[in-house]
Amino acid sequence: MSEALAHTNIYTEEDYYNLPENVRAELIDGQIYYMAAPSRIHQEILMFLSKTIANYIDSQKGFCKVYPAPFAVKLFSDDDRNVVEPDISVICDSNKLTDRGCTGAPDWIVEIVSPSNSSHDYIRKLNLYADSGVREYWIVNPIKKTIFVYHLEETKFEADSYTFQNKIKVNIYDDLWIDFTGLEV
């Protein structure tokens, strides 16, 4: 007796861009993962961090750009099976910017964990981001009020953990600290 093998569709970047405009999804290893609308707390954190980062870059007359979700990031230019939408992408190389978003690894990515997608942020995306060369990756958990900071050291991420009671150094900048005590959630 032979067993039928489960058939899994492998989707591509073209499939991702052909999704209806009002559908939020990511393409990871050829699979489409649909995303629910973010919570109010998620959006409060997103705005707090986006404003803090953008204000710092502006004050320094920096050239990096901050893009909050939805913003498509194709991590590898030669891979059409991975397009993610990080909550915040900081891109310092304008050559990576396209009409569709970003092609290549952003310098810094922040993901704000939702209960329905935590394994994506802690496992799938962590590995993708490390493999693609993202220099810094933060995972912010609003329920546990924790922040995991991963910064690329040569070929692997080094990790530190913090809480919403900490002031955290951004590794890609010499003098940017984000004070989470200023976040009122």
Side-chain angles (χ1 to χ4, degrees):
M1 179 169 127
S2 70
E3 290 184 33
L5 295 175
H7 177 69
T8 304
N9 288 335
I10 300 297
Y11 297 96
T12 66
E13 177 182 5
E14 183 179 345
D15 298 313
Y16 169 82
Y17 283 112
N18 284 326
L19 291 170
E21 195 170 304
N22 63 339
V23 172
R24 289 200 59 215
E26 293 182 304
L27 177 66
I28 300 174
D29 294 329
Q31 297 302 303
I32 292 177
Y33 295 93
Y34 294 95
M35 300 180 335
S39 70
R40 181 188 62 80
I41 301 296
H42 181 284
Q43 293 303 89
E44 295 263 348
I45 295 168
L46 178 77
M47 287 303 298
F48 170 80
L49 290 172
S50 295
K51 283 191 313 187
T52 302
I53 297 163
N55 288 343
Y56 169 81
I57 292 169
D58 289 347
S59 75
Q60 301 296 307
K61 300 190 179 2
F63 53 89
C64 299
K65 302 282 185 185
V66 181
Y67 295 95
F71 183 74
V73 174
K74 182 178 175 181
L75 294 164
F76 306 95
S77 60
D78 61 347
D79 174 14
D80 71 345
R81 297 183 329 126
N82 288 289
V83 180
V84 293
E85 287 189 12
D87 288 310
I88 300 172
S89 300
V90 177
I91 298 144
C92 300
D93 180 352
S94 63
N95 292 321
K96 293 180 179 180
L97 297 173
T98 68
D99 289 341
R100 287 187 156 173
C102 175
T103 298
D107 294 86
W108 180 18
I109 287 177
V110 177
E111 293 284 8
I112 302 162
V113 174
S114 298
S116 63
N117 74 351
S118 62
S119 68
H120 284 317
D121 297 333
Y122 288 110
I123 299 166
R124 282 188 184 95
K125 288 183 181 178
L126 174 64
N127 290 323
L128 269 176
Y129 295 161
D131 291 345
S132 69
V134 170
R135 293 170 48 206
E136 187 158 356
Y137 174 40
W138 288 23
I139 302 174
V140 179
N141 187 321
I143 295 168
K144 294 182 178 180
K145 298 190 179 205
T146 58
I147 304 101
F148 285 97
V149 173
Y150 298 89
H151 56 286
L152 196 60
E153 294 292 331
E154 307 219 3
T155 59
K156 65 181 175 116
F157 274 137
E158 297 290 328
D160 295 300
S161 62
Y162 302 92
T163 72
F164 282 21
Q165 299 304 308
N166 293 121
K167 188 174 182 180
I168 303 171
K169 167 86 171 68
V170 178
N171 292 287
I172 67 166
Y173 292 111
D174 291 333
D175 57 354
L176 174 57
W177 293 78
I178 298 184
D179 186 355
F180 273 79
T181 62
L183 180 62
E184 297 177 14
V185 291

